[in-house]
Amino acid sequence: MQILSRERAEIANELVSMVWFWQYLSKAQADRRSEVERVDLKIEEVNKRLARERCWLHEARDEWIEVDRKLRDFHAFDLNFALSELEPYGPEIARLKVKIDSARDDLLRMENAVAPHVEQYKKFSKEYASLKAKIDLARDFVRRLGEAKDRPARGVIHGECERALGVGKPGTFISDNERTLNSLERNRDKMERRIISELDKAQRRIDHLVIDGKNMCFQESMFIGLNAIAAFLAAPIGPIKVTVVFDANIRNDLRAGDDEIRAQLDRKAAVHISPSKTAADEFLLKLASGNPHAFIMSNDRFREYSDYSAVAEGRLLRFLIADNKLIINDLDLTLSFH
């Protein structure tokens, strides 16, 4: 940089003022001025390079300071002390790991449950969007035909319609496809509801099932005794507490006493029989109260008991008994009995 400055000064000393114009306009002076401009450009370039290098130097210095700080922190780190500090949290960390693993399993189970329905939803949505776009295009052709001034103009539009939709009459295309469009929309909406239902089931946590015993003793209007309940109690439903509540008249229906009824169910559930001349409804509802994970299995709607939490929160599971099968969609169970 100093060399360039000195070179410029030497050349500048040889320049003359414009006052001496006869010398200023000479070739020698023009060459000197060109030399000064050349050196000025070099000086400017060198200054820019110096500025960049100073910036890089500052950045390198900052990085070195940060690395040096980390190295000092590393050398000052006491591993044994850190482990001793973490030791009291060991059981909590282990508990959280189990909880995370369980949540991961639940998420995978939910994804597997809805995956086929999501694919169907995407398929219906894609077909609906494609057909709707074509029908909208057909409606635009109808509009243009209505605005066309003469037959040749309408002929051009009919030709465009045939190339775009495969048929020259847009009204015909609309009437032929509107029903299909409505069907696709219904199927798409049904699949969306199915996905929501499956997700609700997958997220539902049940730790106590309160069964309406009398309700589960009938196949349509035919009394089938305890067969369906026994089949359910033998099913692998996991660590769920099960309580069965009967109306008082179950004793007459089964011609059995309380202990005999419990024995017929192999004592696999807590069995309660309502006092004489009372219905089981409120007992069911009260047993499911106070626990957001307690559900009632019954086909009754309990409309007159909407103040009970199980009814207000929708903690009611439905079932169907037909062809000697107990079908509980909410639990994905289909159980045969004799």
Side-chain angles (χ1 to χ4, degrees), residues 126-170:
K126 185 177 179 180
E127 291 176 2
Y128 173 83
S130 176
L131 186 57
K132 186 176 185 303
K134 289 179 180 178
I135 289 176
D136 288 344
L137 180 60
R139 290 195 176 111
D140 188 57
F141 282 132
V142 170
R143 178 189 61 77
R144 289 173 59 194
L145 284 169
E147 296 172 355
K149 295 181 179 179
D150 51 37
R151 187 171 181 177
R154 287 193 291 274
V156 171
I157 296 169
H158 281 302
E160 289 180 25
C161 181
E162 186 164 7
R163 287 191 294 275
L165 302 175
V167 60
K169 296 181 179 179

Side-chain angles (χ1 to χ4, degrees), residues 214-228:
K214 186 67 177 287
N215 218 222
M216 204 176 275
C217 285
F218 284 87
Q219 180 167 266
E220 295 181 355
S221 60
M222 183 176 69
F223 184 71
I224 58 171
L226 303 176
N227 295 334

Side-chain angles (χ1 to χ4, degrees), residues 145-209:
L145 284 169
E147 296 172 355
K149 295 181 179 179
D150 51 37
R151 187 171 181 177
R154 287 193 291 274
V156 171
I157 296 169
H158 281 302
E160 289 180 25
C161 181
E162 186 164 7
R163 287 191 294 275
L165 302 175
V167 60
K169 296 181 179 179
T172 300
F173 182 87
I174 292 170
S175 61
D176 287 348
N177 288 279
E178 271 190 322
R179 183 175 295 178
T180 303
L181 183 71
N182 292 334
S183 175
L184 285 170
E185 185 176 26
R186 286 193 300 271
N187 288 336
R188 182 198 62 185
D189 293 346
K190 285 178 184 176
M191 200 52 61
E192 183 178 7
R193 291 194 293 272
R194 179 78 183 275
I195 290 168
I196 292 170
S197 174
E198 290 294 333
L199 286 173
D200 285 343
K201 281 198 294 183
Q203 294 180 81
R204 184 184 292 147
R205 176 186 152 196
I206 302 175
D207 58 31
H208 186 193
L209 273 175

